[in-house]
Amino acid sequence: MDEDTRPIEETETLGQRIRRIRQDRGMSLAKVVRDDFSRAFLNQVEMGKTRPSIRLLRVIAERLGTEVEYLLEGHEAGVDRELAVEKGRVLLLQGESRRALLALKPALDTYDWPTGCDARVCQAQALIALGRKDQADAILAHEQQEMELHNDRHRLERLKAIDRAQRAGQSHDELEHYRAARVLLEAGP
């Protein structure tokens, strides 16, 4: 059961919540802290002996794949963000890339795992459809790192499918350009 759908004990502290999420995700202290702060500091936070700054709390929340709001208050991630992702996906499937980008806005800045990741991948797909491949590639590269960090094989496979579709689309375009050039050559004087 995901931490965002599990009933929260009223007495759970910030530190206990961080530890529970970290352990539920199978993450070590070192995997969360990286080079930003020490394991000892995070351990002190988890034991309730110190409180992180908002900046560090954002870093911790992002690495745990959740939101600062959830860490502080234990409130569930907003259903509105999940709805935004689904609307974006539907609009993208309907060929409405610009409208999909607008629909995705409420979910793009969230670090809630996997909602934020799904939103940004859908954003990248819309950007590809609009011909903004470089911007999309940067987003997909970052999200791939996050998927690998979370060991999410399903989403990594989706990324491969997006890449294959993108290549197939390019091959199709190249084929059409070749056919057009051949027609022009054959129709020449």
Side-chain angles (χ1 to χ4, degrees), residues 56-68 71 111:
L56 287 181
L57 199 54
R58 283 187 185 122
V59 170
I60 293 168
E62 178 180 357
R63 292 193 182 143
L64 292 175
T66 191
E67 304 238 354
V68 171
L71 291 179
Y111 294 108

Side-chain angles (χ1 to χ4, degrees), residues 122-134:
C122 190
Q123 175 192 31
Q125 289 178 284
L127 291 170
I128 290 167
L130 293 170
R132 294 161 54 186
K133 184 183 175 323
D134 291 342

Side-chain angles (χ1 to χ4, degrees), residues 9-161:
E9 286 185 37
E10 293 298 320
T11 59
E12 188 176 47
T13 66
L14 168 68
Q16 290 168 335
R17 194 169 296 116
I18 289 171
R19 176 175 281 155
R20 176 178 50 78
I21 295 168
R22 180 179 61 76
Q23 290 175 340
D24 286 352
R25 300 202 193 295
M27 296 176 76
S28 67
L29 288 167
K31 200 167 190 179
V32 176
V33 301
R34 299 187 196 156
D35 294 332
D36 296 299
F37 46 94
S38 69
R39 286 181 287 185
F41 175 77
L42 184 57
N43 190 44
Q44 293 292 310
V45 169
E46 288 183 352
M47 293 183 347
K49 294 184 179 182
T50 191
R51 222 171 143 84
S53 67
I54 292 296
R55 184 187 72 76
L56 287 181
L57 199 54
R58 283 187 185 122
V59 170
I60 293 168
E62 178 180 357
R63 292 193 182 143
L64 292 175
T66 191
E67 304 238 354
V68 171
E69 176 184 298
Y70 180 77
L71 291 179
L72 288 172
E73 302 171 15
H75 294 170
E76 292 184 19
V79 174
D80 59 327
R81 289 185 290 264
E82 291 179 34
L83 230 122
V85 173
E86 293 309 315
K87 284 180 185 176
R89 285 178 174 158
V90 168
L91 288 166
L92 189 60
L93 289 171
Q94 293 174 338
E96 298 281 342
S97 301
R98 290 188 197 288
R99 288 183 59 208
L101 288 174
L102 290 173
L104 289 166
K105 277 189 177 184
L108 290 174
D109 293 331
T110 185
Y111 294 108
D112 181 34
W113 179 263
T115 305
C117 177
D118 290 343
R120 289 181 290 276
V121 168
C122 190
Q123 175 192 31
Q125 289 178 284
L127 291 170
I128 290 167
L130 293 170
R132 294 161 54 186
K133 184 183 175 323
D134 291 342
Q135 195 177 358
D137 286 345
I139 293 167
L140 292 174
H142 179 266
E143 294 311 313
Q144 181 176 355
Q145 290 176 343
E146 290 299 312
M147 291 173 196
E148 289 169 354
L149 179 68
H150 286 90
N151 199 24
D152 192 325
R153 299 285 173 230
H154 170 72
R155 282 180 175 75
L156 286 167
E157 286 300 317
R158 272 187 51 215
L159 272 188
K160 287 179 185 174

